[in-house]
Amino acid sequence: KVRFGLILRDPYNLFASRIRKWPQHFESDRDISDQVNLWLAHVKLVEQPRPVFGPDPVVPILYNKLVVDPCYRDSLAESLNTLKGNAGLDDVPVYGHGSSFDGYETRGKTVQAGVFERWKSSLDDPRFRRVIADKRLQEAAERVFGIAPPRLSEL
């Protein structure tokens, strides 16, 4: 039986990485709105899983929790009918075009350590500021990940 998972990453680190990797997708207000709306559509699927590619609902996967919580990884492995364990957790896969920050070189604990700090390097980027100023995005980040937005006015 095949199940489909939707991996959702917190918006602050996700968009810092995406803007760095694909800046051409954030050139206009329309581009930014489209990117935010896509992330919000994924949030909706995570909050209200439903069938997308077959009769079974999509399996929501919270990236932040996946990285830090071995019990959560085991639970997901059961849901997706895959092997339990931490194999590949610290690898940057080639098929994902590498890390926007570290390429393919980073391995081990540094992968886990850096993935929650990406947003800090983007605070001066006006595109990033426009993305994270979206109140719907902020509310969803708080609701799903328990993460408050960076206070841009205090920086």
Side-chain angles (χ1 to χ4, degrees), residues 56-76:
D56 294 314
V58 69
V59 176
I61 302 169
L62 300 178
Y63 176 82
N64 298 40
K65 197 170 180 180
L66 178 73
V67 170
V68 299
D69 186 343
C71 293
Y72 182 70
R73 287 193 293 276
D74 287 346
S75 173
L76 284 173

Side-chain angles (χ1 to χ4, degrees), residues 35-72:
Q35 293 293 324
V36 169
N37 287 334
L38 178 60
W39 186 83
L40 290 169
H42 291 157
V43 166
K44 192 172 186 178
L45 267 176
V46 163
E47 291 181 316
Q48 301 167 0
R50 60 181 172 77
V52 176
F53 297 110
D56 294 314
V58 69
V59 176
I61 302 169
L62 300 178
Y63 176 82
N64 298 40
K65 197 170 180 180
L66 178 73
V67 170
V68 299
D69 186 343
C71 293
Y72 182 70

Side-chain angles (χ1 to χ4, degrees), residues 6-15 18 26 31-47 61-64 131-132 134-147:
L6 172 64
I7 301 171
L8 187 69
R9 187 175 184 186
D10 77 86
Y12 309 118
N13 291 297
L14 172 77
F15 285 112
R18 283 193 178 169
F26 296 87
D31 293 338
I32 289 170
S33 177
D34 288 347
Q35 293 293 324
V36 169
N37 287 334
L38 178 60
W39 186 83
L40 290 169
H42 291 157
V43 166
K44 192 172 186 178
L45 267 176
V46 163
E47 291 181 316
I61 302 169
L62 300 178
Y63 176 82
N64 298 40
V131 166
I132 67 171
D134 189 296
K135 296 295 182 200
R136 300 167 306 151
L137 179 141
Q138 293 174 8
E139 290 167 1
E142 183 114 30
R143 201 171 54 247
V144 175
F145 293 96
I147 299 173

